[in-house]
Amino acid sequence: MKKVNLILLFTLLLGCTAYLAYSSDNANVEVLPALSAPKDLPDFTLNDIHGKANSIHQLAQNKPTLFIYFNSTCHLCQEELGKISERIDEFKDYNLIFTTVQPKEEMIGFVEELGIKDKSFVHFLLDADMNVASYYQIRSVPSIFCYNARKELIAEYVGITKIDLLLENLGRGK
């Protein structure tokens, strides 16, 4: 019995040692997540909060674009958009497109509270038919997509994302 226990103990120790050696060798390797969103900014036409139809491509122009799918009742979205609005002037060289499936009446107060809707580079669009949500296969909000000036996806995030990281990605997209 002692011999069996010793063999098991030795095997366990050997396995643990091998695992620790493997994990320490790979500790400095940065694994980047694969981008799963469509690689190009889609060109849907959606109504803004004033009822005017807008092409996403026309709003993006030829500038890096931050495309955010959100819901005004989501506390994570409230926090993320609140942080963006606090630093809105740092985004002036880019285009921000905020899109939601909510009816205008449900989100207009939230948009007003942010105090950024009148900025020329900020756009709020309503995805009433859920075409954009289906295209992106939105499963959680906020869903954030960074596109370069050629409208190619360079980064995507779900949930609260550091503003500095968003600005860094947009800056790389010029």
Side-chain angles (χ1 to χ4, degrees), residues 7-23:
I7 292 172
L8 286 174
L9 181 61
F10 178 76
T11 305
L12 182 64
L13 286 174
L14 184 63
C16 288
T17 303
Y19 173 77
L20 290 174
Y22 173 78
S23 62

Side-chain angles (χ1 to χ4, degrees), residues 74-165:
C74 163
H75 73 281
L76 297 175
C77 297
Q78 293 168 357
E79 185 174 336
E80 185 74 21
L81 273 65
K83 287 181 180 182
I84 290 172
S85 69
E86 289 171 6
R87 296 178 60 182
I88 195 64
D89 291 334
E90 295 176 61
F91 289 92
K92 69 182 180 315
D93 295 330
Y94 314 112
N95 282 305
L96 305 180
I97 300 174
F98 299 100
T99 305
T100 185
V101 70
Q102 291 178 270
K104 177 175 71 170
E105 299 77 28
E106 288 183 23
M107 60 165 271
I108 197 71
F110 174 68
V111 170
E112 294 285 338
E113 258 181 51
L114 290 173
I116 61 174
K117 74 176 182 68
D118 294 326
K119 301 280 186 184
S120 62
F121 56 94
V122 175
H123 312 280
F124 287 92
L125 302 178
L126 306 170
D127 185 22
D129 296 326
M130 295 185 65
N131 293 326
V132 175
S134 295
Y135 182 79
Y136 277 102
Q137 298 180 1
I138 300 291
R139 289 180 176 78
S140 184
V141 289
S143 289
I144 303 169
F145 308 93
C146 295
Y147 290 91
N148 64 22
R150 294 180 306 280
K151 299 176 183 64
E152 300 165 334
L153 183 68
I154 55 176
E156 67 178 283
Y157 307 95
V158 175
I160 294 176
T161 306
K162 292 182 179 180
I163 303 304
D164 290 334
L165 182 58

Side-chain angles (χ1 to χ4, degrees), residues 41-58:
L41 181 67
D43 191 20
F44 288 98
T45 297
L46 302 173
N47 289 336
D48 65 16
I49 58 175
H50 304 292
K52 180 183 174 202
N54 289 276
S55 158
I56 292 174
H57 275 199
Q58 287 177 345

